[in-house]
Amino acid sequence: MQALPLAIMALILYLGAASWQGLTLLRRVPQRPALVRVLGLLGLLFHLPVAFNLIGQSPGLMPGLSTSAVLLTAIMVILLLSVSLAKPVLSVAVALFPVSGLALLLAVGLPSPERTDGMTPGIALHAMSSALAFGILFIAACQAVLLGLQNQALRHHHTRGVVQVLPPLTTMERVLFELIWAGMALLTLSIFSGFLFVESMFAQHLAHKTILSLAAWVIFAILLISHHVLGWRGMRAVRWTLGGCAVLLLAYFGSKLVLEVILNRT
């Protein structure tokens, strides 16, 4: 399979969708959510064959850095396109689509070393719940950035530009916490299934991932409890969401970066 042409086509389509949505936020073009979704879907159709090819080459527990990025971004695009049909989250495409296209191009140009361990049903459950949790919480992080921009603009009485395009502040905030709740449920399943089904964590360089995932879980749990009990919202909610997602990003990609890029180990 010629992966490079597929990756280039996916990147072009993703950039087209992200550019239109970005210009929509700047009020330079009219809102065309159907166009953004169609371009994103077409990009995904070029994205998936490359992802499936990588899966076929390395059906292991710990795929390499570039492969993991390709798989996770594909899942995040699917989640965004699906969720955007019911929730106003399509503006997240401005960040997610270019990242997905670039991750795909990087994976084709710089394939990473892979493991060849078998994947049992229990480990498959852990891997899938981990990927879905990361995907939803990444979308929540992008939503938090937009919420933060909207909050700051309203504080300074700037009611034009992005603020006019985004949904009301209360709607943006409600969607943010709905995403966090969904991500937390999947993250809980991921951690629980990891303890049940993953063996030899230290031998597989998974100890740090578990510790950081638990730390992210605690951060999101504090945020959700404090939102319900103490009424946390606004910029405080934004900061805690981004903090939790940063820790989760380290959990998923930190060791891969160190082992494969810095130490050049598989």
Side-chain angles (χ1 to χ4, degrees), residues 92-117:
V92 172
V94 174
L96 176 57
F97 285 175
V99 169
S100 300
L102 290 173
L104 192 60
L105 203 60
L106 178 65
V108 171
L110 298 171
S112 60
E114 311 292 349
R115 294 184 178 270
T116 58
D117 306 342

Side-chain angles (χ1 to χ4, degrees), residues 125-263:
L125 172 64
H126 171 68
M128 182 56 66
S129 57
S130 297
L132 290 173
F134 183 86
I136 290 180
L137 290 170
F138 180 86
I139 293 173
C142 295
Q143 180 80 357
V145 171
L146 292 172
L147 177 63
L149 293 173
Q150 189 178 25
N151 197 291
Q152 289 295 323
L154 291 174
R155 279 189 179 184
H156 293 88
H157 307 291
H158 298 158
T159 57
R160 296 185 178 276
V162 174
V163 176
Q164 289 180 296
V165 179
L166 293 174
L169 193 65
T170 53
T171 301
M172 292 283 289
E173 194 170 78
R174 186 184 73 251
V175 171
L176 173 64
F177 281 101
E178 289 173 351
L179 289 169
I180 294 174
W181 273 111
M184 270 290 283
L186 288 163
L187 184 59
T188 302
L189 177 61
S190 168
I191 293 171
F192 183 71
S193 60
F195 280 118
L196 283 180
F197 301 115
V198 178
E199 300 177 358
S200 305
M201 282 197 307
F202 290 94
Q204 298 185 54
H205 310 292
L206 293 175
H208 87 284
K209 179 179 181 293
T210 302
I211 294 169
L212 288 173
S213 296
L214 285 169
W217 189 96
V218 169
I219 291 172
F220 286 119
I222 292 173
L223 172 58
L224 291 174
I225 292 170
S226 299
H227 172 69
H228 181 71
V229 176
L230 303 176
W232 281 14
R233 52 176 37 89
M235 293 306 298
R236 179 174 289 176
V238 169
R239 286 191 290 268
W240 277 74
T241 301
L242 295 178
C245 287
V247 173
L248 203 59
L249 184 66
L250 287 174
Y252 278 66
F253 291 106
S255 69
K256 294 180 185 295
L257 180 64
V258 172
L259 290 172
E260 296 176 19
V261 178
I262 298 176
L263 299 180

Side-chain angles (χ1 to χ4, degrees), residues 1-3 6-7 9-11 13-14 40-56 67 69-79 81 100-101 104 108 128:
M1 180 184 67
Q2 294 296 319
L6 295 177
M9 284 301 302
L11 177 62
L13 290 162
Y14 281 148
L41 180 60
L42 290 174
L44 181 65
L45 293 179
F46 285 99
H47 188 150
L48 288 175
V50 181
F52 289 147
N53 183 58
L54 291 171
I55 293 173
T67 300
V70 169
L71 298 178
L72 282 172
T73 50
I75 290 171
M76 286 189 283
V77 170
I78 293 170
L79 287 170
L81 292 175
S100 300
L104 192 60
V108 171
M128 182 56 66

